[in-house]
Amino acid sequence: MQDNSPNNWKILLEDPQRFQGEILSDKNELWERIYHRLHKKPQRKVLVWYWTAACLLIVTIITVVVFISKGKTHNRVVSEPAIVKTFMPVETGNLSNANENNGENVMSQSTPKNHTAGTIQKNNLPALKKSINTKYIIDSTMNQLPQLVITPITPTTTANDSSAVSSITIAPSSKKKLRVVHLNEIGQPVEEPTVNNRFAEKHGLAWRIINGENYNPVYGSSTNNGLILTKPRSTSN
Amino acid sequence: MIREAKKGSAAAQKCLFDLLSDKMMLVCRRYVKTDEDSEEILLDGFYQFFKNLSSFNYHGEASVYAWLKKIMINECLMFLRSRHSFIIATEQQSEEIPLPDDALNKLSASEILNLVIELPVGYRTVFNLHVIEGFAHKEIARMLNIAEGTSKSQLNKAKLLLQKNLIKNGNDYARQQSK
């Protein structure tokens, strides 16, 4: 009786001599394939990785540079004062008057109505005035800029009190954020007046006489020098 | 030879290939049905063998054979997984079935190999790993990511099918011999 243990199966199936050379058809061909796989140079693969890495590095550097430059620009714009189209400096001693008259353009949107500081004296305001004078705000876009909130000052508080100044806080506006524009970017470019124009502005009358624009000598009229300068009448009338 | 092959000598590598390729081809054919797939697996296995030969510690001829065989079995299992043909459903363990005693004696090695190859992939893999390679069910379960009971039940079913086929082929063989 045949022993049918697993070892018997193993001997039967693992002995190549039992299969009488019918296992591998062409050993040499198989060896050639293995040899080519083993000894081929993966140069192209290395080159591809090299170029991929180089491209990634360049893209990363460009991105970092762009972000850094953007960040610098943003910081510079924020640190610069806001822009002025019309500005009226605070000169009055009374802070309430300043708010009502001069500061309207500046802080009319944000100044509370109940803001009164009657006892603040003129001489005690330099710090506050200075801080306001250095702020330039476009009044046309006032409602879209960060609002300047001034907390009410009690009547006993004086302007040289540091708390009065420190009580001015800028609250971030919840509205749409507008682009901060530099002063030089506003309005049309102003042309430099020529020498003739400057002279004409300064000595308008004499210049017009020299040019003979409105020089109409009228004899018989009662003037000291005998010259009457009148507007030229239109002939149609 | 191993030392030379480690240095990258093509002649030594070819000698090793000539020496071991037949045995390794038999291993591959037990796991995979077609000869083309077996050859591809053989090439992959030898490629891995020569590539990683520098990290191999030589402890005699048997160690080389065992290491290369392990590489081949792993390549076969990877191939079966990649073909999605290696899904074994979890089944209850059944009673162990003995294989027929005298059937192996009646058939040639090629016929027995064909009987093994004709088994379904799950049966065949577990049968090969347990009966031929000698792995325990616990190891097989870990290698194939299946339950231990599933491995046992797969083996029993493989044996049942083999028994049936062996008797059938053995009787045919006996009839041929009597004629």
Side-chain angles (χ1 to χ4, degrees):
Chain A
M1 186 168 286
Q2 182 74 27
D3 180 22
N4 205 14
S5 65
N7 282 337
N8 207 13
W9 282 87
K10 192 173 179 174
I11 291 163
L12 265 173
L13 293 173
E14 287 201 329
D15 188 5
Q17 290 175 349
R18 290 176 182 264
F19 293 86
Q20 296 161 359
E22 57 191 62
I23 302 164
L24 273 174
S25 52
D26 194 352
K27 268 188 190 179
N28 287 330
E29 189 204 330
L30 284 174
W31 167 247
E32 287 295 319
R33 286 166 70 184
I34 292 174
Y35 181 82
H36 280 295
R37 260 208 236 180
L38 281 170
H39 296 94
K40 74 175 178 186
K41 291 179 183 175
Q43 201 171 13
R44 183 172 286 178
K45 218 172 190 178
V46 171
L47 273 177
V48 166
W49 280 112
Y50 172 78
W51 282 112
T52 310
C55 290
L56 278 174
L57 189 69
I58 289 166
V59 168
T60 310
I61 288 168
I62 289 168
T63 312
V64 168
V65 166
V66 165
F67 270 106
I68 287 171
S69 61
K70 266 191 178 180
K72 275 184 182 174
T73 313
H74 183 258
N75 287 339
R76 195 176 69 232
V77 168
V78 168
S79 63
E80 281 177 358
I83 316 301
V84 146
K85 193 175 180 184
T86 59
F87 172 69
M88 301 173 81
V90 178
E91 288 182 355
T92 58
N94 196 326
L95 187 60
S96 63
N97 289 338
N99 285 330
E100 286 169 13
N101 301 324
N102 302 327
E104 253 183 6
N105 285 335
V106 179
M107 295 180 290
S108 59
Q109 295 287 326
S110 58
T111 307
K113 293 282 182 186
N114 58 355
H115 175 75
T116 53
T119 60
I120 296 177
Q121 296 173 2
K122 189 177 180 180
N123 295 335
N124 295 332
L125 280 173
L128 184 59
K129 281 204 290 183
K130 195 176 179 182
S131 68
I132 293 171
N133 278 334
T134 54
K135 303 289 180 195
Y136 300 92
I137 298 164
I138 300 169
D139 58 352
S140 60
T141 58
M142 191 64 193
N143 56 346
Q144 289 160 342
L145 286 171
Q147 294 180 357
L148 187 65
V149 178
I150 300 176
T151 55
I153 302 168
T154 56
T156 55
T157 308
T158 56
N160 60 353
D161 189 3
S162 61
S163 65
V165 178
S166 64
S167 64
I168 298 171
T169 55
I170 296 176
S173 174
S174 60
K175 292 177 181 176
K176 188 180 154 188
K177 207 171 182 181
L178 279 187
R179 186 169 68 98
V180 179
V181 185
H182 194 268
L183 177 62
N184 293 336
E185 295 175 20
I186 294 174
Q188 298 294 324
V190 180
E191 287 181 12
E192 189 71 20
T194 59
V195 177
N196 288 344
N197 289 342
R198 248 184 273 158
F199 186 82
E201 279 175 21
K202 203 170 181 181
H203 314 284
L205 180 63
W207 181 253
R208 272 184 272 167
I209 291 168
I210 289 165
N211 280 344
E213 286 176 9
N214 296 317
Y215 178 60
N216 294 317
V218 179
Y219 297 102
S221 60
S222 59
T223 53
N224 290 334
N225 54 7
L227 294 173
I228 295 173
L229 299 173
T230 56
K231 279 186 180 179
R233 286 187 178 180
S234 57
T235 53
S236 61
N237 290 336
Chain B
M1 202 188 295
I2 291 285
R3 202 179 299 127
E4 289 298 312
K6 271 187 180 183
K7 287 177 187 171
S9 163
Q13 287 173 347
K14 188 172 185 322
C15 278
L16 279 171
F17 178 76
D18 288 338
L19 201 69
L20 297 166
S21 58
D22 282 338
K23 287 183 179 178
M24 293 306 122
M25 187 63 184
L26 277 177
V27 173
C28 296
R29 280 180 68 178
R30 283 205 302 269
Y31 287 87
V32 183
K33 267 190 174 179
T34 62
D35 285 350
E36 291 78 19
D37 291 341
S38 302
E39 283 183 0
E40 281 300 317
I41 292 166
L42 184 80
L43 291 181
D44 290 341
F46 267 104
Y47 176 73
Q48 292 296 329
F49 173 70
F50 289 129
K51 207 176 145 190
N52 299 303
L53 197 58
S54 55
S55 62
F56 173 69
N57 291 322
Y58 181 74
H59 297 295
E61 199 179 322
S63 66
V64 179
Y65 175 74
W67 188 50
L68 185 55
K69 192 178 168 186
K70 197 177 175 185
I71 290 172
M72 291 296 168
I73 291 168
N74 283 336
E75 289 290 330
C76 289
L77 295 180
M78 280 171 64
F79 173 83
L80 292 172
R81 281 195 203 104
S82 69
R83 289 289 175 96
H84 307 287
S85 58
F86 198 59
I87 302 160
I88 300 173
T90 306
E91 292 172 34
Q92 292 294 320
Q93 183 186 347
S94 55
E95 290 177 9
E96 194 155 332
I97 298 157
L99 285 166
D101 290 340
D102 56 344
L104 284 178
N105 211 18
K106 292 177 182 172
L107 299 172
S108 68
S110 300
E111 285 171 318
I112 293 167
L113 180 65
N114 284 333
L115 286 177
V116 173
I117 290 169
E118 288 303 314
L119 288 172
V121 63
Y123 297 0
R124 186 172 68 233
T125 310
V126 174
F127 179 82
N128 279 324
L129 290 172
H130 183 76
V131 177
I132 315 291
E133 322 310 346
F135 287 109
H137 284 295
K138 207 171 185 176
E139 288 172 293
I140 295 167
R142 199 182 66 244
M143 287 164 79
L144 304 182
N145 201 20
I146 56 173
E148 202 177 325
T150 307
S151 172
K152 287 178 184 174
S153 71
Q154 292 284 311
L155 179 67
N156 284 336
K157 287 183 177 178
K159 281 179 177 175
L160 265 177
L161 200 58
L162 266 177
Q163 191 180 41
K164 191 177 157 187
N165 291 336
L166 276 170
I167 291 165
K168 186 185 166 193
N169 283 289
N171 290 339
D172 292 345
Y173 181 79
R175 265 186 234 129
Q176 281 173 10
Q177 289 295 317
S178 64
K179 282 177 188 176

